[in-house]
Amino acid sequence: MAFRGGCCCGFGPFNEDNARFLMLAVFIILYLLCGAAVFSALEQPMEAEAKERWGQRFEQFSQKYNLSKKELNNLLRNYEEANVAGIRVDTIRPRWDFTGAFYFVGTVVSTIGFGMTTPATIGGKIFLIFYGLIGCAATILFFNLFLERVITVIAFVLKFCHERRRRKAMLPQNGCRRLSEGSGGGGRCGRGEGLAGWKPSVYCVMLILGAAAILVSCCASAMYSAVEGWGYLDSLYFCFVAFSTIGFGDVVSSQRLAYEEGNVNQTAYRLGNFLFILTGVCCIYSLFNVISIVIKQVLNWLLRRMEAPCHCPRRGGHHPQQRLPRRNVVVPGHLRAQRDLSIETDAVNESEVDGRRMSGEMISMRDFLAANKVNLAIMQKQLSEMANGHPRQSGTNSRHGHNGFSGGVGALGIMNNRLAETSVDR
């Protein structure tokens, strides 16, 4: 089954982007099924044991104090309502003073949403809808801008290290010192020529971001273990749940009214908690987006493995890969990829344009629709670049290879052409 080049073997127009989307959807469904099976096997026995233990305690308590089960259930329902409002058995910090409300809005705009604090009034719920609409959008923009700057800094550092290593390797071999002494200052030896289009590998960037995320998580876990009294593994669990914005709310930091340790500075701890969560969310967000590039590479590799030669009978008996393109028609997708043409190009080959203008032969409806699709894709990319403030200069000499990463949106658009695996020259 071939995914490129439109209709083949009765599958209809099914391009590579749709195939990648379908494969990713199937992968996510399988991933969810596997995760559900694993968590069900791990947690269901604990749930059944806790339910049985609670039933025994409930029965013993009602018999000991001669309470009816109906009255006891009503009391528990009242406590559940108080729990939603932020009332706990243990003494905790106020939920809706200024510092507590600030903690709440921070979990809202960062999309963490621990759930330990929720608005109970109608006015608060309505305000949350509009507040979260703007706040979440602004925070996502902040994360994308952070990702753009992190990728730029990492690329600059890696390029500098690569240039120094390359310079040390080439200096004793080419004799640049002797050449510079004899030519009077022309001894750069072309060290920048080979690095003009150099970009860091996505795997190096993923390794650096992973190390940064692990470092932040380990330092934050050490602080939470010392101040909150959690186990180190529980602290690491909280860090991942909070930094990845999953936010279950079963374990939440900085919730006590006062800490028993006298040497704990409340203000310093809350400030450190805020900085660790902010830094961790930014690092994990960047790491997730870089990992998505690796996943997309795997999908592209699977698509290439699944592409098999089509043996459909065609007029003339020529194989699709052996058929020569005519000069006055739009080249099919798989032949256009072989000729290093892409919908990312802003200019079409002048010879093809002149051929279509001078030839009196009419193109087919399929070729006409393909040409419209190319023009639409070019227009969409130009609008996206103008919105991002980085319009690309059009020209007939620009070459852009099709690697499955062009035309990204959001974080993928930020990393487009910034890494070696997402470069259009790859």
Side-chain angles (χ1 to χ4, degrees):
M1 179 174 64
F3 291 105
R4 294 181 184 175
C7 181
C8 180
C9 298
F11 286 97
F14 197 72
N15 57 21
E16 185 177 350
D17 292 333
N18 292 332
R20 190 185 299 111
F21 173 78
L22 180 61
M23 290 183 61
L24 182 59
V26 172
F27 169 76
I28 291 177
I29 292 175
L30 294 177
Y31 195 75
L32 292 175
L33 293 175
C34 294
V38 172
F39 280 111
S40 178
L42 292 176
E43 301 295 335
Q44 191 174 16
M46 181 67 68
E47 180 188 18
E49 182 181 351
K51 186 177 181 180
E52 182 180 359
R53 185 168 56 249
W54 168 251
Q56 294 176 358
R57 291 179 179 177
F58 184 86
E59 187 70 25
Q60 293 174 0
F61 187 86
S62 61
Q63 292 178 359
K64 181 178 181 180
Y65 295 97
N66 195 19
L67 296 174
S68 65
K69 295 182 179 180
K70 183 178 179 180
E71 294 177 351
L72 190 55
N73 284 325
N74 291 332
L75 177 63
L76 293 175
R77 290 190 184 96
N78 293 332
Y79 174 72
E80 288 179 355
E81 295 177 359
N83 195 12
V84 172
I87 307 301
R88 300 292 188 273
V89 176
D90 297 329
T91 303
I92 57 176
R93 59 184 291 186
R95 286 288 188 263
W96 293 110
D97 61 349
F98 183 80
T99 57
F102 183 80
Y103 195 92
F104 167 73
V105 296
T107 61
V108 170
V109 300
S110 62
T111 68
I112 296 177
F114 286 123
M116 79 289 182
T117 304
T118 55
T121 62
I122 300 298
K125 294 178 181 179
I126 294 176
F127 179 73
L128 175 64
I129 295 175
F130 296 98
Y131 185 84
L133 184 65
I134 299 175
C136 293
T139 306
I140 291 175
L141 176 61
F142 172 79
F143 289 157
N144 286 331
L145 295 178
F146 177 85
L147 172 63
E148 183 178 7
R149 280 147 183 79
V150 164
I151 295 296
T152 302
V153 171
I154 293 177
F156 177 80
V157 173
L158 291 178
K159 186 175 182 179
F160 176 76
C161 297
H162 181 76
E163 184 178 359
R164 288 196 60 183
R165 185 169 61 250
R166 185 171 177 268
R167 190 188 313 169
K168 290 181 180 180
M170 293 180 60
L171 191 61
Q173 298 177 1
N174 298 335
C176 294
R177 292 181 179 177
R178 294 194 300 269
L179 183 60
S180 61
E181 293 175 358
S183 58
R188 290 179 63 89
C189 211
R191 67 189 179 199
E193 296 178 358
L195 295 175
W198 185 88
K199 295 180 179 64
S201 173
V202 66
Y203 302 103
C204 295
V205 176
M206 182 176 65
L207 181 63
I208 294 174
L209 289 176
I214 292 175
L215 179 62
V216 173
S217 299
C218 290
C219 295
S221 299
M223 182 186 71
Y224 294 138
S225 298
V227 178
E228 298 286 351
W230 302 337
Y232 194 79
L233 184 59
D234 292 333
S235 300
L236 284 176
Y237 163 78
F238 165 76
C239 288
F240 177 77
V241 170
F243 297 168
S244 60
T245 69
I246 296 175
F248 290 126
D250 54 343
V251 181
V252 183
S253 62
S254 185
Q255 294 302 304
R256 298 184 188 177
L257 181 62
Y259 291 88
E260 298 177 357
E261 296 81 0
N263 56 351
V264 175
N265 190 329
Q266 303 267 353
T267 305
Y269 170 63
R270 290 177 180 177
L271 179 61
N273 177 55
F274 172 77
L275 294 178
F276 270 125
I277 291 180
L278 177 63
T279 307
V281 169
C282 291
C283 291
I284 293 294
Y285 177 83
S286 303
L287 180 62
F288 282 171
N289 284 282
V290 174
I291 292 177
S292 68
I293 294 293
V294 178
I295 295 176
K296 201 170 185 181
Q297 274 194 307
V298 175
L299 294 177
N300 292 337
W301 178 80
L302 291 176
L303 285 178
R304 289 193 297 267
R305 297 285 294 179
M306 293 174 64
E307 286 177 357
C310 182
H311 299 286
C312 299
R314 297 181 181 269
R315 285 182 291 182
H318 294 289
H319 195 273
Q321 297 180 355
Q322 298 175 354
R323 185 175 58 184
L324 296 177
R326 293 181 295 174
R327 200 181 70 154
N328 62 328
V329 297
V330 179
V331 184
H334 61 284
L335 293 180
R336 185 169 64 250
Q338 294 176 1
R339 296 172 55 188
D340 292 331
L341 293 178
S342 173
I343 62 174
E344 300 298 317
T345 56
D346 290 339
V348 187
N349 192 307
E350 294 180 355
S351 62
E352 290 190 17
V353 175
D354 295 338
R356 285 194 296 268
R357 288 177 179 174
M358 299 301 296
S359 175
E361 183 178 354
M362 297 181 61
I363 65 175
S364 64
M365 180 59 68
R366 176 183 174 185
D367 296 333
F368 176 74
L369 294 177
N372 285 341
K373 182 179 179 181
V374 172
N375 294 330
L376 179 61
I378 293 175
M379 182 180 66
Q380 289 175 346
K381 181 169 180 61
Q382 289 174 346
L383 291 176
S384 176
E385 290 173 346
M386 290 179 182
N388 293 329
H390 301 286
R392 181 162 49 90
Q393 299 295 331
S394 60
T396 57
N397 295 329
S398 60
R399 289 184 66 242
H400 297 276
H402 181 75
N403 58 359
F405 291 95
S406 56
V409 178
L412 290 178
I414 290 175
M415 290 184 289
N416 184 28
N417 204 25
R418 290 179 178 270
L419 302 175
E421 287 75 11
T422 62
S423 175
V424 293
D425 298 327
R426 182 172 171 83

